Amino acid sequence: MKASVFVGTSVDGFIARPDGALDFLPEGGGEPHGYEEFMASVDALVIGRKTYETVLAFEAWPYRDKSVFVLSTSPLAPAPTGARAERMSGHPTEIYAQLAARGIQHVYVDGGITIQGFLRAGLIQRLIVTRVPVLIGSGISLFGAVVRDIPLKHLATRQYPSGLVQSEYEVGM
């Protein structure tokens, strides 16, 4: 199974404000920057509970017919009609093994703590990071502290008229 990250961040490395707000990110209907193509390549998502709760407040469920596995030890708020959300808990290696056993080929990992846990466990193979041209000063860090260097192989960098700069990496082990 392959696990990938596709995430937007401020230039100073934050994926959300301290309160979880995403208001500095461009609106979803802006210029195309590969998200639709990326989503077409994944079978399912693994997200944290805080990310799930943030997404529940969106006007529309963004994951369409994809299975969404929400990492939480607590019961989840109900998913919108038609959404496929399931609670899971455990170490990232256990989650990864369970999803692989279900036949999932490519999973999208999202949410700060979830991304950090899967990276620390050596389970992410691909990172696509889109930097939004803004400094927000503080917030939820994309990577947080790491206990060892995590080598990355640069695959591509793309720039967009809006000022977005997207870099794609293969994660070394």
Side-chain angles (χ1 to χ4, degrees):
M1 184 174 77
K2 178 179 174 180
S4 299
V5 171
F6 190 109
V7 67
T9 180
S10 61
V11 170
D12 48 353
F14 299 107
I15 58 172
R17 295 192 187 277
D19 65 358
L22 303 171
D23 60 318
F24 67 93
L25 295 174
E27 293 292 323
E31 71 190 348
H33 59 279
Y35 182 75
E36 293 298 324
E37 295 82 359
F38 174 76
M39 282 299 287
S41 77
V42 300
D43 304 315
L45 291 87
V46 173
I47 64 175
R49 182 189 48 79
K50 288 181 182 178
T51 300
Y52 175 70
E53 290 173 354
T54 298
V55 169
L56 286 177
F58 289 0
E59 192 172 308
W61 181 250
Y63 307 129
R64 298 182 280 283
D65 61 343
K66 304 285 183 191
S67 293
V68 178
F69 299 95
V70 183
L71 304 186
S72 178
T73 56
S74 305
L76 301 177
T81 303
R84 297 188 328 209
E86 178 182 331
R87 182 176 65 87
M88 294 183 93
S89 62
H91 188 273
T93 54
E94 296 167 9
I95 302 297
Y96 191 92
Q98 290 175 33
L99 296 178
R102 291 185 183 197
I104 292 172
Q105 304 274 320
H106 187 194
V107 67
Y108 171 11
V109 179
D110 198 16
I113 293 169
T114 304
I115 292 169
Q116 292 169 20
F118 273 67
L119 268 173
R120 277 193 301 274
L123 301 172
I124 302 291
Q125 291 83 36
R126 184 171 160 217
L127 284 172
I128 301 169
V129 180
T130 304
R131 289 175 306 285
V132 177
V134 63
L135 300 171
I136 64 171
S138 66
I140 299 168
S141 174
L142 172 55
F143 298 115
V146 294
V147 295
R148 63 175 172 76
D149 289 356
I150 300 172
L152 304 175
K153 178 183 176 189
H154 179 257
L155 300 176
T157 294
R158 296 168 282 280
Q159 64 183 30
Y160 298 92
S162 66
L164 296 177
V165 176
Q166 183 179 83
S167 295
E168 184 173 351
Y169 303 94
E170 181 179 285
V171 181
M173 297 300 146

